[in-house]
Amino acid sequence: MLTLENLRLTHGDWTLEADLNLAAGARCALIGPSGAGKSTLLGAIAGFMAPTRGRILWQAQDLAQLAPGERPVSILFQDNNLFPHLTAAQNIGLGLRPNLRLSTAEKARVAEALGRVGLADYADRKPAALSGGQQGRVALARALLRARPLLLLDEPFAALGPALRAEMLDLVASICSETGATLLMVSHDPGDARRIADQTIVIGDGRAAPPQKTEALFADPPPALRRYLGTN
Ligand code: ADP
Ligand code: MG
């Protein structure tokens, strides 16, 4: 279980509070207006900023003492996920070994991950020679290989068209099923949330609300979500 316990995050005068649990293995969307603190919340879980109050726990372990690389977390940002000077295979290999000195068995795992995302023939291409969708799949393959229990996605497919985005979401869903990962995914598209997430956290007005069942939430949205959706 992921626990945000009496949590407060601040940037100057800006604050976000959260006091909630997310069950292990859940697939959860994080939805709310621009500037609400979605990226900040994921960054705090990943260890890029320290809370000003409260704790972040995974399976009852306080993550505060763990550096970002030691946390049980893979995070995918909206962009800049790949190193431009490295090939697809090398970018994926970084998920296993930051120094890229891979054993034969590890190289085989990289090849397998490339195949898993449909890029078996693109191992030696650098990001500039890949489409946006292919780049996204390389980043996903790296996350797949890291197989950390918590997968945090910060609108990683926002630049893709609807068909490709749906394909990527389905891939994320199947990766999570296979690895048992707990997913927390920022999206500004309710359709994305409904496609992949059984639960949704609404964030706004300085607070991240406890996760609710996605279908029920969108069937009868609370005022903050209504405002966001523009349906009030
Ligand atoms: P979202 O991802 O929901 O759009 P962010 O988490 O990026 O929102 O930002 C939340 C608030 O924190 C915004 O008011 C933003 O300007 C501010 N903020 C984000 N990152 C920083 C930072 N590194 N330093 C200062 N303020 C920041
Ligand atoms: Mg953001």
Side-chain angles (χ1 to χ4, degrees):
M1 186 158 79
L2 174 70
T3 302
L4 308 181
E5 183 187 87
N6 196 22
L7 187 69
R8 179 184 286 162
L9 307 173
T10 56
H11 289 300
D13 292 343
W14 180 90
T15 66
L16 175 72
E17 296 190 352
D19 195 34
L20 61 87
N21 293 313
L22 182 65
R27 297 208 295 255
C28 185
L30 188 54
I31 197 160
S34 177
K38 304 179 295 294
S39 298
T40 297
L41 184 59
L42 294 196
I45 296 168
F48 302 129
M49 81 179 280
T52 42
R53 190 190 75 195
R55 300 194 299 167
I56 300 170
L57 305 105
W58 171 250
Q59 308 295 44
Q61 184 194 11
D62 188 346
L63 299 186
Q65 306 312 320
L66 300 180
E70 298 168 342
R71 295 195 178 201
V73 170
S74 299
I75 185 164
L76 243 71
F77 301 103
Q78 193 162 346
D79 44 34
N80 293 327
N81 283 297
L82 303 181
F83 290 96
H85 62 292
L86 300 179
T87 65
Q90 289 170 325
N91 267 289
I92 295 170
L94 283 178
L96 289 175
R97 293 210 177 268
N99 67 8
L100 282 177
R101 296 206 181 117
L102 303 185
S103 67
T104 308
E106 287 167 338
K107 283 181 188 157
R109 288 180 60 202
V110 169
E112 188 189 325
L114 272 164
R116 183 71 184 73
V117 298
L119 293 177
D121 297 334
Y122 296 79
D124 297 327
R125 296 239 193 140
K126 292 183 178 167
L130 297 170
S131 71
Q134 290 167 337
Q135 291 178 22
R137 281 189 269 165
V138 172
L140 255 190
R142 185 171 58 203
L144 168 68
L145 213 55
R146 280 167 60 82
R148 299 284 170 102
L150 268 170
L151 180 58
L152 309 179
L153 306 183
D154 195 351
E155 301 190 73
F157 315 128
L160 306 181
L164 203 47
R165 207 164 72 231
E167 191 185 305
M168 298 296 288
L169 289 172
D170 291 348
L171 186 56
V172 168
S174 61
I175 287 172
C176 289
S177 303
E178 275 170 35
T179 64
T182 305
L183 175 70
L184 194 51
M185 180 187 78
V186 174
S187 173
H188 49 230
D189 182 347
D192 286 2
R194 296 175 105 142
R195 186 174 188 96
I196 189 173
D198 49 342
Q199 298 182 56
T200 296
I201 291 173
V202 179
I203 179 167
D205 300 329
R207 184 164 174 270
Q212 291 173 265
K213 291 228 181 298
T214 302
E215 278 310 319
L217 186 71
F218 284 108
D220 184 19
L225 184 59
R226 253 178 230 279
R227 277 201 306 280
Y228 173 72
L229 296 169
T231 51
N232 60 337

